[in-house]
Amino acid sequence: MKRFVVILSFLLALLLFATSWAAFQYRQAQGKMNRELALGNYPAALNEVAALRSTVFLFPLRWGIPFFMKDIAAEISFIEGESWYALGEKTRARESYARAAELFTDSRKTERARSYYNNATIALENSKYLEARELLHRALDPLNGDPYHAGAKSSLERLERFAAENKSESSGAGSRVFQERDPFSLWSSDKKGESKPGEKRR
């Protein structure tokens, strides 16, 4: 019995050491990625992400994302979104932000709201007003987002005001803003006004 306790204590100590070392390594890598972002060296930030994904620490992510690694995977996706957006790859940025918002757990609702908000901002830039409105509502959701996110509030108010100013004249109800244009239709022209609502990402 005493031998079993000794072995168990040794294994627990080894597991604690390995976990602490892995967490330290991840924080180091995260710091490097954030520094590269701050310096505007976005390709280097993406390279750091790729290098981090291939480490032993993130090896379980190859077979799916365990619940205890969801926030880590979400942080990585968010950094990818920031980098892709800065490089002009808006489609990839939106995919990364959407992945980050999906992965952040309830303990990280503020970061989840930021992911929704940044995704909505790109949707606004692409005149995807219906998608932007839905994403902004998700960002401000009291249960799953951050109802105090100032940027999301401002963008939503501006978008709704823009929609009210562009109501459909034929029907008298609804708004042309939230009627998504069919990009494959030759007869579907974008009749939206020039003063489009916009907001800085963050």
Side-chain angles (χ1 to χ4, degrees):
M1 182 68 180
K2 189 179 292 184
R3 185 180 177 183
F4 173 76
V5 172
V6 171
I7 293 173
L8 182 61
S9 300
F10 174 76
L11 289 175
L12 288 174
L14 188 64
L15 180 62
L16 181 62
F17 172 77
T19 305
S20 300
W21 177 84
F24 172 75
Q25 291 291 319
Y26 172 70
R27 291 303 165 196
Q28 290 280 92
Q30 185 192 39
K32 286 183 70 176
M33 288 187 291
N34 286 326
R35 278 196 299 274
E36 297 295 355
L37 282 177
L39 293 171
N41 197 355
Y42 305 109
L46 290 172
N47 288 337
E48 288 292 334
V49 168
L52 187 61
R53 285 187 189 278
S54 62
T55 60
V56 175
F57 175 58
L58 294 181
F59 202 67
L61 296 181
R62 295 167 189 249
W63 294 285
I65 301 173
F67 72 93
F68 58 88
M69 296 185 75
K70 277 193 168 185
D71 286 329
I72 291 172
E75 287 175 5
I76 292 172
S77 293
F78 188 87
I79 289 173
E80 283 181 318
E82 298 281 89
S83 301
W84 286 126
Y85 180 82
L87 292 170
E89 296 283 349
K90 294 185 180 182
T91 301
R92 288 188 174 186
R94 289 201 65 187
E95 290 171 358
S96 297
Y97 286 133
R99 196 180 311 118
E102 182 182 342
L103 290 172
F104 275 123
T105 60
D106 287 343
S107 63
R108 305 287 293 277
K109 290 180 181 179
T110 302
E111 287 87 346
R112 182 191 293 164
R114 285 179 62 198
S115 302
Y116 280 132
Y117 170 64
N118 285 0
N119 196 351
T121 303
I122 301 175
L124 282 173
E125 292 176 4
N126 294 332
S127 299
K128 296 289 184 181
Y129 300 114
L130 196 62
E131 292 179 25
R133 182 174 64 172
E134 181 181 350
L135 289 165
L136 290 170
H137 277 295
R138 290 184 184 181
L140 294 167
D141 186 347
L143 296 178
N144 298 306
D146 178 13
Y148 304 105
H149 194 297
K153 280 184 179 179
S154 175
S155 289
L156 186 58
E157 289 171 3
R158 196 172 301 175
L159 178 57
E160 296 291 357
R161 188 164 58 248
F162 178 68
E165 292 170 357
N166 288 271
K167 283 196 177 293
S168 176
E169 297 175 1
S170 58
S171 63
S175 172
R176 296 194 305 262
V177 171
F178 297 128
Q179 295 171 2
E180 296 290 354
R181 176 178 178 271
D182 181 4
F184 300 105
S185 172
L186 296 175
W187 308 105
S188 179
S189 59
D190 193 354
K191 299 179 181 177
K192 302 179 182 66
E194 293 298 322
S195 56
K196 297 178 181 178
E199 184 66 36
K200 290 183 179 179
R201 293 158 58 255
R202 268 290 149 234

